[in-house]
Amino acid sequence: MSKQNLETLFTQEVHNKYLVFNTLFSRLPYDKMTNIGTLMPFLHDKAKQGFEGGLTPKEIINSFFDRYTNIKTEKEKIDLLFRFITYIERQVVLFDSVEDAAFEKLNATNTKGTLASIIALASQHGKIEEVKEKLKNFKVRVVFTAHPTQFYPNSVLRIIQDLEACIAVNDINAIDALLQQLGKTPFINDEQPTPVQEAQSIIFYLRHVYYEAIGQLHDLIYNDILDEEEAFRSIIDLGFWPGGDRDGNPFVTAEISKKVAQELRTNILKCYYNHFKDIRRRFTFKGVIPLLDKINNRIYTNMFGLNNDLTAPELLGALAEVRDKMVSNHNSMFLDELDRFIRRVKLFGMHFASLDIRQDSSIHEAVFQAVVAKYNVSDQPYAAWSHEEKVAFLTNNDIIVNEDEFEDPLVKDTFKTIRAIKEIQTKNGEKACHRYIISNSTSSCSVLEVLAMFKFCGIEEINVDIVPLFETIEGLDTARQSMGELYNLEYYKKQLKYRSDFQTIMLGFSDGTKDGGYIKANWEIYKAKENLTAVSMENGINVVFFDGRGGPPARGGGKTHQFYASQGPSIANNEIQITIQGQTISSMYGSKPQAIFNFEQLLSAGVINDIFTDDKSLISSQERDLIEELAEVGGKKYLELKNHPLFVSYLEHKSPLKYYGKTKIGSRPSKRSTSSQLKLSDLRAIPFVGSWSQLKQNVPGFFGFGTALQSKIDEGKLEDLKDLFENSLYFKTLMQNSMMALSKTYFPLTSYMKNDPIYGEFWNILYEEQQRSINNMLLVSGQKLLMETDPISMMSVEYRENIVLPLLAIQQYALQEVEENLDENAKTVFEKMVTRSLFGNINASRNSA
């Protein structure tokens, strides 16, 4: 479809419907809400004109009140600003619902990346058999994390789902009623959610979206591509971090992990129970009904915890007996329906999604420090040992640990967690909890320490994949050496043999970008994958890469499927494994059509990468040299910024950074340390990236790129850059994702800061690089506008930014008041205003944190 036709479709299905339904806001159950609807366009125009004219937020807000209201008291003024925030929050919800309702129509013409398009392409080129072979040995694993980026409470998410359904059929009365409900529904949690509550929030999607979406995709694959009689294997797996990820979250314990595993078990049984009702309605035949009743009773009693004795193999055995009866006695009637149910059981077992355990390597080192001291292993503390001494101890010592002998609760719980893994596997099956991820892995000892913990707990058969997570630039640099050493240890070779010579390695985009900048981190991850692929192949190991990706480009997001399709033959392509979280779950995988579409995109990216590789996925030596030079220059520019004495201070005092912890959207603290002094190393990637987004500066998504391009342009290599953009899918994807980040920047919002006596010079550094990046990216790409090749996304971004502009003005106004106001009571009110404004801004951006 042409760009013009896409724009017309967006206007009809999103713009026009939003305008019509937005009129219903005048009836929202708020005092004087009609006045707010009338005043909102004036506030928007004042903000737009004021920012473009270089006014401060205080000047803009005060001018608006003077011209358009009769408000005289400060209390009335503050009250109206809070009601504006409430109004805009709900406008964003409505726009989300309208846009999501239009998803299938907007993507109906975009068949690229769907399974149907892959089959058509394979048929055209005579590669159907190759596609079949690839799907027999390839899979996608999507891992849901508990990272706090979802600013909608569960109650609002449910309203969005209902709104989406009603908007799709233009049910105006139902839409009106839902907007009335929305008006009375709070957007803020009274208390921080617990890890179990976080898990339950995501389990909702497992039950109501992924059970059907993933099941449907497997039905399609096994009916239309793979032969039905072939042994079934899952091609899309689900992973789960809430309740298992204890990295920096003191509230996740061994008991919490067991509770979440039980929640997952209970909910998959609920899915089976409801699905099995359909089977019983059809299989009303002699000799079959007693078998069905017995199965139904086992599911029911296990679902409610009356028994905990049903295993997946037992259920599959009972279903196989029913199937045999149907084939032999009843002409295989309705067999397709039974086979669909059997596939679901093979897919989800008794675990639904695999619970991953994650902990930081520094915690493990502290645990071994305690073990060495408790059992008098050495006079020297563990931290002082050489690398060789640690390896010898970890691979040869046969200590049996009793965790109750330790006083430190963290040491106790670490060993209890190891035992909990075994308990969860016994109850729910091995896939229920079979991975232990080590954040901030620095050497082979990071992996060996986890193996040793299992051994110290007396567990010899370790049915767990030990997954190192390399996330800093330094960690990425040493990753090949660390893994090469592990692969050559006889002790570790035994573990790999037990795991069929597969090694999963996780690479973190978020902390890499925070550490080295956008272009440097992405290129270092690419090279690390090449190096790890090479060292794994040399040692006969099948390596699988697990990418820790957030929503925005600064955290590895953006055009994800294109990113994977761009990785050439030098990078192992056994699986695609990614994390999704918060807003990404609700905005990209929140409904069955969206989930199916995006799962298919990931699947097709892996198939395309191997079967339909073209020259654009290959990086020539000349292109490699050019990207290397760009990465070095861009990394140096970002490092200069990161080392600027005002870098952390600017975020702390000029952004809403410190208010993230007050939003009560996640159980995990917003920074790693409890120290009152803020350090960059303590700052988590989500509030770091999110704060730049709130400022509409998005520094982690582009800073250094403009300077890198300029350096080559100055060397007379503009044509080389253009060729690189045109011929390298990797570089094109890298730059397009950065252009997405730049499209969400709006420096006029903070232009008043350029005159700040402390931060003015720093603001100008950011602004100049933003301008340099935009100009050079447009020059290299040959485009006139950012994102012009993706008109639907471009229009969506513009619309969302337009909705929240008044909210941004209010937030900046409140930040100014906090900074300048000496009255503590007034400061408290404005701090609450800043916190409240975070929600609408984040929700509108969708992938900003």
Side-chain angles (χ1 to χ4, degrees):
M1 186 179 286
S2 70
K3 179 182 176 184
Q4 184 176 359
N5 288 340
L6 282 171
E7 289 174 350
T8 300
L9 185 62
F10 186 89
T11 300
Q12 292 171 346
E13 295 298 327
V14 181
H15 171 82
N16 292 345
K17 284 190 176 183
Y18 172 75
L19 289 181
V20 171
F21 299 139
N22 196 34
T23 61
L24 297 173
F25 273 102
S26 63
R27 296 182 58 246
L28 279 180
Y30 284 95
D31 294 337
K32 302 177 184 176
M33 188 57 83
T34 305
N35 289 344
I36 293 179
T38 304
L39 289 171
M40 185 61 71
F42 297 114
L43 179 57
H44 176 276
D45 291 347
K46 268 291 178 186
K48 185 75 173 174
Q49 294 163 11
F51 287 130
E52 299 296 341
L55 298 181
T56 70
K58 284 184 68 174
E59 289 171 334
I60 291 168
I61 296 297
N62 289 333
S63 173
F64 164 77
F65 275 102
D66 290 343
R67 181 164 182 182
Y68 295 108
T69 76
N70 295 318
I71 287 175
K72 303 299 181 187
T73 69
E74 188 68 15
K75 183 181 182 305
E76 289 177 310
K77 183 177 176 181
I78 289 170
D79 181 55
L80 183 58
L81 289 174
F82 272 111
R83 281 191 279 123
F84 274 133
I85 292 172
T86 299
Y87 188 88
I88 296 167
E89 280 176 341
R90 282 145 181 84
Q91 282 188 307
V92 173
V93 169
L94 178 60
F95 188 82
D96 281 347
S97 304
V98 171
E99 191 174 40
D100 289 347
F103 179 84
E104 287 187 273
K105 290 182 180 177
L106 292 174
N107 289 279
T109 57
N110 181 18
T111 57
K112 185 178 180 181
T114 62
L115 286 174
S117 70
I118 293 296
I119 294 169
L121 190 63
S123 299
Q124 185 181 342
H125 291 88
K127 292 191 173 185
I128 283 288
E129 290 305 315
E130 289 181 61
V131 170
K132 285 184 178 180
E133 284 304 310
K134 181 63 183 176
L135 288 175
K136 288 177 189 175
N137 299 286
F138 178 77
K139 67 169 55 181
V140 166
R141 183 186 185 96
V142 173
V143 180
F144 303 100
T145 78
H147 294 354
T149 65
Q150 179 53 267
F151 277 66
Y152 286 134
N154 290 338
S155 54
V156 174
L157 286 170
R158 308 301 175 255
I159 294 173
I160 290 176
Q161 285 190 325
D162 293 340
L163 266 173
E164 181 186 330
C166 293
I167 289 168
V169 295
N170 296 321
D171 187 343
I172 193 76
N173 292 324
I175 294 166
D176 184 36
L178 287 166
L179 290 176
Q180 296 288 318
Q181 179 190 356
L182 188 68
K184 288 287 191 181
T185 303
F187 273 48
I188 294 183
N189 296 319
D190 292 330
E191 298 177 350
Q192 300 279 145
T194 66
V196 173
Q197 288 170 332
E198 286 177 326
Q200 290 167 335
S201 175
I202 296 175
I203 287 171
F204 174 89
Y205 288 101
L206 297 185
R207 276 193 65 190
H208 298 285
V209 178
Y210 306 123
Y211 180 80
E212 275 303 316
I214 293 176
Q216 204 168 299
L217 277 171
H218 281 83
D219 292 341
L220 172 66
I221 290 166
Y222 276 90
N223 288 333
D224 295 355
I225 304 175
L226 298 181
D227 297 325
E228 185 67 30
E229 61 269 14
E230 292 189 49
F232 178 90
R233 62 180 290 273
S234 61
I235 295 170
I236 301 172
D237 281 343
L238 299 180
F240 204 80
W241 277 16
D245 179 12
R246 58 248 305 127
D247 178 9
N249 192 336
F251 306 112
V252 177
T253 64
E255 284 305 309
I256 291 293
S257 295
K258 289 192 284 188
K259 282 182 181 178
V260 170
Q262 180 61 44
E263 283 286 323
L264 287 163
R265 176 186 172 90
T266 298
N267 278 275
I268 190 56
L269 285 166
K270 287 178 180 178
C271 289
Y272 292 158
Y273 186 74
N274 288 328
H275 191 167
F276 201 63
K277 288 178 184 177
D278 297 333
I279 304 295
R280 296 180 79 195
R281 285 173 69 91
R282 293 289 166 264
F283 289 54
T284 54
F285 308 115
K286 186 177 180 180
V288 175
I289 293 175
L291 298 177
L292 297 181
D293 287 343
K294 186 176 178 182
I295 292 170
N296 190 69
N297 185 58
R298 292 291 302 280
I299 293 174
Y300 182 87
T301 56
N302 275 261
M303 178 174 68
F304 286 104
L306 302 174
N307 292 313
N308 272 308
D309 58 353
L310 181 60
T311 67
E314 283 177 332
L315 180 54
L316 288 169
L319 291 168
E321 188 179 354
V322 173
R323 193 180 195 283
D324 288 344
K325 285 268 188 192
M326 292 302 300
V327 171
S328 59
N329 299 343
H330 301 290
N331 301 320
S332 299
M333 287 183 67
F334 305 120
L335 207 60
D336 286 349
E337 291 190 31
L338 181 61
D339 285 342
R340 276 196 291 274
F341 184 70
I342 290 171
R343 280 195 211 107
R344 302 299 193 275
V345 178
K346 288 178 178 178
L347 270 173
F348 301 116
M350 290 295 148
H351 62 280
F352 215 157
S354 299
L355 183 67
D356 286 349
I357 305 297
R358 184 172 78 129
Q359 183 58 283
D360 191 271
S361 63
S362 62
I363 300 299
H364 297 152
E365 187 170 42
V367 167
F368 280 91
Q369 190 93 333
V371 168
V372 166
K374 171 63 69 176
Y375 297 105
N376 300 314
V377 176
S378 170
D379 294 333
Q380 289 288 319
Y382 179 76
W385 291 7
S386 68
H387 177 75
E388 291 72 22
E389 288 172 324
K390 288 180 179 179
V391 171
F393 170 70
L394 296 170
T395 56
N396 295 317
N397 206 291
D398 290 324
I399 292 172
I400 295 297
V401 164
N402 178 357
E403 59 268 22
D404 293 327
E405 294 178 355
F406 294 89
E407 294 182 8
D408 187 335
L410 190 55
V411 175
K412 280 185 179 183
D413 191 71
T414 300
F415 285 113
K416 283 182 178 179
T417 298
I418 299 296
R419 299 190 195 280
I421 293 172
K422 193 71 176 173
E423 186 179 329
I424 292 168
Q425 287 187 340
T426 301
K427 187 175 176 183
N428 295 357
E430 183 180 313
K431 288 185 71 175
C433 189
H434 67 98
R435 305 206 308 180
Y436 196 120
I437 297 157
I438 311 142
S439 302
N440 197 28
S441 291
T442 54
S443 72
S444 59
C445 287
S446 298
V447 172
L448 295 175
E449 283 166 354
V450 175
L451 271 180
M453 286 193 293
F454 279 92
K455 188 170 68 168
F456 290 0
C457 287
I459 301 171
E460 292 298 331
E461 285 192 358
I462 304 168
N463 304 336
V464 175
D465 295 318
I466 313 298
V467 183
L469 165 52
F470 300 106
E471 44 195 334
T472 64
I473 299 298
E474 181 183 357
L476 291 167
D477 283 343
T478 59
R480 175 170 183 157
Q481 177 185 338
S482 298
M483 297 312 300
E485 183 180 340
L486 278 172
Y487 291 155
N488 284 285
L489 277 174
E490 288 300 323
Y491 177 78
Y492 193 66
K493 283 181 181 179
K494 292 178 184 176
Q495 170 67 7
L496 285 171
K497 285 290 179 193
Y498 193 73
R499 307 304 290 168
S500 302
D501 284 330
F502 271 84
Q503 173 67 57
T504 304
I505 299 173
M506 187 174 181
L507 301 163
F509 281 80
S510 299
D511 285 291
T513 304
K514 181 163 75 85
D515 190 36
Y518 176 76
I519 187 169
K520 174 76 170 175
N522 275 274
W523 183 237
E524 289 300 317
I525 288 171
Y526 188 93
K527 291 193 298 181
K529 284 186 175 181
E530 289 186 317
N531 288 331
L532 290 166
T533 298
V535 74
S536 299
M537 288 180 66
E538 289 165 11
N539 288 276
I541 305 300
N542 298 298
V543 68
V544 172
F545 294 116
F546 175 24
D547 291 320
R549 307 172 72 87
R555 299 189 57 235
K559 298 177 181 294
T560 304
H561 64 280
Q562 188 170 309
F563 170 86
Y564 283 108
S566 74
Q567 298 194 44
S570 58
I571 292 176
N573 184 35
N574 298 308
E575 291 186 25
I576 288 177
Q577 295 193 9
I578 61 168
T579 56
I580 62 170
Q581 61 209 30
Q583 293 160 307
T584 312
I585 297 172
S586 59
S587 65
M588 293 184 67
Y589 296 84
S591 67
K592 196 166 80 169
Q594 289 173 313
I596 288 174
F597 179 84
N598 285 296
F599 283 132
E600 283 191 275
Q601 294 291 308
L602 291 173
L603 264 178
S604 65
V607 174
I608 287 169
N609 197 303
D610 269 8
I611 311 300
F612 304 104
T613 301
D614 59 23
D615 292 341
K616 292 190 177 183
S617 69
L618 305 172
I619 301 178
S620 69
S621 57
Q622 293 88 346
E623 289 171 338
R624 177 178 291 275
D625 290 343
L626 186 52
I627 296 173
E628 182 74 44
E629 291 167 12
L630 289 168
E632 287 305 310
V633 174
K636 182 180 177 185
K637 179 71 174 177
Y638 176 80
L639 195 61
E640 289 173 3
L641 181 74
K642 195 175 80 166
N643 291 334
H644 193 289
L646 294 178
F647 185 75
V648 175
S649 177
Y650 178 81
L651 272 179
E652 188 173 14
H653 295 103
K654 303 304 265 187
S655 85
L657 174 67
K658 58 189 175 186
Y659 300 97
Y660 265 76
K662 300 178 181 181
T663 56
K664 299 177 183 176
I665 63 166
S667 68
R668 192 173 69 170
S670 59
K671 66 189 186 83
R672 290 180 171 89
S673 168
T674 56
S675 169
S676 58
Q677 183 179 0
L678 184 65
K679 294 186 291 186
L680 185 61
S681 58
D682 290 335
L683 192 56
R684 292 198 170 277
I686 290 168
F688 174 75
V689 172
S691 296
W692 289 114
S693 172
Q694 292 278 325
L695 288 169
K696 292 298 166 188
Q697 293 177 345
N698 287 338
V699 162
F702 73 86
F703 199 90
F705 215 144
T707 292
L709 293 173
Q710 189 65 52
S711 69
K712 298 296 111 183
I713 293 169
D714 292 344
E715 292 174 14
K717 294 184 176 180
L718 176 58
E719 292 306 313
D720 292 342
L721 291 172
K722 288 182 176 181
D723 288 342
L724 182 64
F725 180 82
E726 186 60 34
N727 297 317
S728 169
L729 186 56
Y730 169 78
F731 184 74
K732 175 177 277 191
T733 304
L734 195 66
M735 199 159 92
Q736 284 180 334
N737 282 342
S738 191
M739 291 165 87
M740 180 188 292
L742 282 163
S743 72
K744 296 181 181 181
T745 61
Y746 183 63
F747 271 76
L749 176 71
T750 54
S751 63
Y752 70 96
M753 294 183 189
K754 65 186 176 186
N755 301 316
D756 189 285
I758 299 174
Y759 298 104
E761 180 188 346
F762 187 84
W763 184 91
N764 275 297
I765 292 171
L766 306 179
Y767 174 67
E768 287 168 5
E769 184 64 11
Q770 182 247 16
Q771 290 291 296
R772 191 179 296 118
S773 296
I774 291 174
N775 293 336
N776 288 338
M777 286 186 196
L778 292 177
L779 182 63
V780 169
S781 67
Q783 298 175 18
K784 293 182 179 149
L785 296 169
L786 296 172
M787 296 181 69
E788 73 173 35
T789 58
D790 188 0
I792 294 293
S793 296
M794 182 173 70
M795 292 175 74
S796 177
V797 168
E798 288 176 355
Y799 221 112
R800 291 171 177 280
E801 298 299 304
N802 192 55
I803 290 172
V804 297
L805 184 60
L807 187 58
L808 292 165
I810 293 170
Q811 183 185 87
Q812 287 295 317
Y813 166 78
L815 284 168
Q816 269 194 292
E817 288 286 7
V818 169
E819 189 174 12
E820 299 172 9
N821 212 308
L822 298 177
D823 185 289
E824 287 301 320
N825 290 330
K827 188 176 287 190
T828 300
V829 171
F830 287 115
E831 286 180 337
K832 183 181 177 183
M833 191 177 291
V834 174
T835 305
R836 288 286 285 109
S837 68
L838 291 174
F839 289 74
N841 289 334
I842 287 286
N843 291 334
S845 295
R846 282 206 156 177
N847 67 348
S848 59

